[in-house]
Amino acid sequence: MASPTHSKIDDSTSIDQDEVQLAQLGYKQTLHRSWHQIESFAASFCALNFIGGVRSAFFLGILAGGPAALWSSYLITIVFMIITAAVLAEICSALPLSGSIYIWAAESAGPKYARLVGFTVAWWSCTAWMTFVASNCQATANYLVSLLAVYEVDFPGGIDNSNIKWRAFIWAVSEVLLVISIAINYLPPRWYSGVFKFAIFIIMLDFFLCLIWLPIGVSKTYGFRTAKEAFLTTYNGTGAPPVWNWFLSFLFTAGTLTGFDASGHIAEETKNASVVAARGILSSAIATAIGGFITAILFLFCTPDFDTLFALDAPQPFVQIYALALGKGGAVFMTILAAVGLILNSSIAIIAASRLIFAVARDGVLPGSHWIGRVSGDGQPRNAVTVMFVFAASLLCVILPSQVAFTSLVSAAGIPTIAAYGLIALLRLTLTPDSFGSSHFHLGKFRKLFYLCAAVFNAVVFSVDISPFSFPVTAETFNFACAIFGAITVFGLLSWWLLPEEKWLRQAHLTHAKQTADAPEQPVVQT
């Protein structure tokens, strides 16, 4: 076992190497750099929150194709999302920067298209992460208010999204939860390390209770679904043509496996980032895929039959399922546990979002960039966190006029990220297949196959995410996520067209960073 003195020397050497690499990429170390592998893993693993993600969108998977589509699409998603994670890990190792995904995209495009792609993906990524925080706060609110249905509390006008009073109630609860999630982000970095670890504990406790306690309760109450019901049953609850109804199941499966780039966004706060951040991306994707698939199969056996299932009228039907299987006390406990996990999930997603905002502001492209990009005395971009709060709080207001705000926010959060994943893979395949020689995670001779697979799969998921989920399409059921994506793409293009090169993403800076990333692989300092 290494002595404390030896450990301090290793940490110091790692930090020095990180600062040298950051300087070579054109930036000065201003953020704290005190996090290790566990925090890097937790950034993506907890932002994904597999148990919360599966539970929140499980019924979308049931409506789109039924159990047969849900589990089979999940297997396909696992394979291709891990391939996508490997593609991102390769480039993350060469470019471990805050706001990393738009830098990865810019450098993947090569010198000619770097600024255009960088501007566009920067808009996509910031919007995606900020929208995800808003949708996650609404998902948390749905859990808590569902206890009203369990205890049969009368609500004026009824517990229904068509009731404006109910939507206003959901909005108010969501805003309070956002405030709590934001407040956690003002903790000092060393304290926040404990938040990462506590979030992992809560997620795994939730998972194991579902794995052990829920089946016991189901066996003593309404009973398990048969293997045929759990694996072979199909269902069309979207009204889409049968083939497209099946494809819509990817809204659920891919949605639970999108966001593993979060480890890259805290790279400038992570020691030995060129190794640790990339490893965090890949390991969190694998862990989430395994945990999410086990959870999905568990729920397919433990949910009631369709007649009972679709008669549940709570915003989050799992709360009522817990009440049926575990009693009201068990439902309250599991609901609180799930809500705590989702609050931590939102808080950690805010970490990723605020680092993106900080990185964009650092280069001067945002109004008020000097203030937004300012770093506190303990090395945190707290003003960027405040901007994150204002945006997410404003976005939650769409709950008030829309009956389908939740599914639209889920899509709006996923579309830009999926688009960025697919674009990076496509650019790596077509323009820079042999770049980033400094990466410690080379894909070797399989790299072009990986790039192709990631580009095609994410294109499929993108088409699902922009599609309406309910057919026939009306003004009330229109998926406004595609409109959001179109608008932010236009904003990105306008920014690229109007902002001069000396303002943001200077070509010389991009070229220098690319040359650094293309240099031969450097020795690894272990931490």
Side-chain angles (χ1 to χ4, degrees), residues 216-452:
I216 292 173
V218 169
S219 68
K220 294 179 178 179
T221 52
Y222 55 78
F224 298 106
R225 301 302 96 226
T226 64
K228 181 179 180 180
E229 290 173 319
F231 289 116
L232 302 179
T233 307
T234 59
Y235 189 81
N236 188 334
T238 67
V243 173
W244 191 244
N245 177 64
W246 190 287
F247 267 91
L248 287 173
S249 63
F250 285 107
L251 178 64
F252 159 68
T253 61
T256 62
L257 278 169
T258 301
F260 38 74
D261 51 301
S263 298
H265 300 313
I266 66 165
E268 288 183 35
E269 298 159 88
T270 306
K271 297 178 180 180
N272 196 12
S274 62
V275 174
V276 171
R279 187 185 294 150
I281 289 174
L282 192 54
S283 61
S284 64
I286 294 170
T288 297
I290 294 171
F293 184 70
I294 293 172
T295 303
I297 296 299
L298 171 72
F299 289 161
L300 286 176
F301 278 100
C302 289
T303 50
D305 60 82
F306 281 171
D307 290 338
T308 304
L309 196 63
F310 294 122
L312 301 176
D313 56 359
Q316 176 42 269
F318 263 102
V319 174
Q320 290 174 301
I321 291 173
Y322 287 140
L324 291 172
L326 307 174
K328 291 182 178 180
V332 170
F333 180 82
M334 291 301 294
T335 298
I336 292 174
L337 182 64
V340 170
L342 286 170
I343 289 170
L344 295 172
N345 179 194
S346 296
S347 178
I348 291 170
I350 291 166
I351 288 282
S354 61
R355 273 48 178 183
L356 269 166
I357 296 168
F358 159 77
V360 174
R362 174 170 59 181
D363 290 331
V365 73
L366 295 177
S369 287
H370 178 71
W371 180 81
I372 297 172
R374 191 178 300 162
V375 175
S376 65
D378 57 0
Q380 285 188 294
R382 290 184 175 173
N383 294 343
V385 173
T386 302
V387 172
M388 169 68 236
F389 168 68
V390 172
F391 183 93
S394 301
L395 193 58
L396 278 172
C397 293
V398 302
I399 296 171
L400 296 172
S402 175
Q403 295 185 36
V404 291
F406 180 69
T407 53
S408 292
L409 284 175
V410 168
S411 294
I415 287 173
T417 302
I418 290 295
Y421 290 174
L423 180 60
I424 288 171
L426 179 63
L427 294 172
R428 294 287 283 124
L429 175 67
T430 57
L431 297 178
T432 55
D434 301 316
S435 297
F436 308 112
S438 64
S439 175
H440 298 290
F441 288 79
H442 287 298
L443 296 177
K445 62 182 179 180
F446 296 107
R447 65 188 185 283
K448 291 185 179 181
L449 177 61
F450 274 41
Y451 303 153
L452 177 63

Side-chain angles (χ1 to χ4, degrees), residues 62-121:
I62 292 294
L63 290 171
L70 190 150
W71 70 265
S72 58
S73 296
Y74 212 116
L75 283 178
I76 295 170
T77 301
I78 286 173
V79 172
F80 288 100
M81 277 305 195
I82 289 177
I83 288 174
T84 302
V87 170
L88 295 189
E90 180 184 48
I91 192 170
C92 175
S93 179
L95 294 165
L97 296 166
S98 291
S100 48
I101 193 166
Y102 74 83
I103 298 294
W104 301 342
E107 300 293 8
S108 295
K112 185 175 181 180
Y113 303 106
R115 292 191 75 248
L116 171 61
V117 171
F119 271 91
T120 305
V121 175

